[in-house]
Amino acid sequence: MHPLRFITALFVSLLATITLTACGGGGGSANDGGLSGKLVITGSSTCAPVISEAAKRFEQLHPGVRIDVQTGGSGRGIADVGKGTAQIGMASRALKDAEKQTLSAHPFASDGVCIILHKSNPVTELTSEQIVAFYTGQTTNWKDVGGKDAAITVVNKAEGRATLEVFLEFFKLKNPDIKPAVIVGENEHAIKTVVGDVNAIGYVSIGTAEYSAGSGTAIKLLPAGGIPATTKALADGKFPISRPLILVTKPQTNPLTKAFIDYCQSKEIHDLIASQYFVPASR
């Protein structure tokens, strides 16, 4: 071959290789790590704000990935992973012993559960015994604990909600013992219910409640055992009603699932965790 033709052919070949690599023809660019596919994540409404934002960032890092985040409660997330209808479940409680037999937990943050009242309620603290009496119907009027002469509106969480399970475990109650006036689902629903009823009592995520109160929502967070319901007290390990926020998978995961789990356990989303007033999990 004529030397000029050889040089020209070599140049064309090199140019084609460079173009193919730049267009991702090699199965993924260096930036996206070659990851592609879809993840379905379902479960806890407490976890969802952090995980939804983490999913958006992850999709930007990996253009070939799509992540669908749905709520419905911790029970749903755990059940969906077990059934195979979701690759990842979100749960705002630890796995039960039976669940640990077939599922794996991946902590990414921790949260607490606190009692909330309407901001105008003069009551500033309740003992565990008083809270139990409220929720079991033994005490039905605020005047019995130093409040106004008004009937107490007991707000409880629906079955399958991790907040309910944490509440029941801490106060040594069973759900049939509870005498609720209102049953709610997500934390935001509980907060709106308390805001709309000055005589209501409910319980929600500390992170959600602290954020809402700080934004001007008409609620107050009650201390537990004399410890203020704050994320600082939670981070210091002092607040007694605490729980892990976890992602749930089958023991064997595919590369995409593992990569997203690793991302959610990294410092890359600590700002998202802090924005929801949660505490990052230590690894």
Side-chain angles (χ1 to χ4, degrees):
M1 177 183 292
H2 190 281
L4 181 59
R5 289 183 179 179
F6 175 79
I7 293 172
T8 301
L10 181 60
F11 175 79
V12 170
S13 177
L14 288 171
L15 181 62
T17 300
I18 293 170
T19 302
L20 179 63
T21 302
C23 293
S29 70
N31 290 333
D32 68 20
L35 293 172
S36 64
K38 180 179 180 180
L39 287 178
V40 175
I41 304 174
T42 67
S44 166
S45 62
T46 299
C47 300
V50 171
I51 300 306
S52 294
E53 290 303 313
K56 292 176 184 177
R57 290 186 181 180
F58 194 81
E59 287 177 338
Q60 291 176 346
L61 293 171
H62 307 281
V65 174
R66 291 294 175 266
I67 303 176
D68 179 15
V69 180
Q70 306 169 19
T71 57
S74 297
R76 179 195 171 185
I78 292 169
D80 284 352
V81 172
K83 293 184 295 187
T85 54
Q87 289 78 41
I88 299 174
M90 301 176 289
S92 42
R93 64 166 174 80
L95 289 179
K96 299 175 182 178
D97 288 341
E99 294 165 345
K100 292 177 183 177
Q101 302 301 312
T102 56
L103 301 172
S104 297
H106 311 275
F108 68 90
S110 61
D111 183 28
V113 174
C114 66
I115 299 293
I116 59 169
L117 307 181
H118 192 277
K119 189 176 182 179
S120 66
N121 193 317
V123 174
T124 58
E125 189 165 4
L126 292 168
T127 66
S128 293
E129 292 75 19
Q130 288 171 328
I131 292 168
V132 168
F134 281 13
Y135 272 83
T136 55
Q138 299 172 58
T139 300
T140 59
N141 196 297
W142 282 107
K143 68 180 180 180
D144 295 331
V145 294
K148 296 178 180 179
D149 184 3
I152 300 165
T153 303
V154 172
V155 181
N156 198 34
K157 285 294 193 86
E159 288 279 4
R161 296 287 172 174
T163 321
L164 168 65
E165 297 183 29
V166 173
F167 177 84
L168 294 175
E169 182 178 357
F170 181 81
F171 289 102
K172 304 296 188 291
L173 290 169
K174 295 182 179 179
N175 206 31
D177 299 332
I178 307 256
K179 310 298 180 187
V182 182
I183 296 177
V184 298
E186 298 185 352
N187 288 310
E188 289 78 7
H189 188 190
I191 290 171
K192 287 179 180 178
T193 302
V194 172
V195 168
D197 186 341
V198 295
N199 299 312
I201 179 172
Y203 55 90
V204 296
S205 152
I206 282 183
T208 305
E210 195 170 38
Y211 176 81
S212 296
S215 301
T217 304
I219 60 169
K220 68 168 80 174
L221 290 64
L222 297 194
I227 306 298
T230 64
T231 47
K232 183 181 185 306
L234 182 67
D236 291 342
K238 295 179 180 178
F239 194 76
I241 317 176
S242 62
R243 58 179 177 174
L245 303 183
I246 64 174
L247 297 177
V248 180
T249 66
K250 292 284 186 64
Q252 299 297 322
T253 60
N254 60 37
L256 175 56
T257 300
K258 184 180 184 306
F260 185 69
I261 294 289
D262 289 344
Y263 182 71
C264 290
Q265 291 183 314
S266 74
K267 293 182 179 179
E268 296 300 317
I269 72 161
H270 280 192
D271 62 320
L272 299 178
I273 292 171
S275 73
Q276 294 297 316
Y277 293 82
F278 300 143
V279 176
S282 56
R283 295 191 67 182

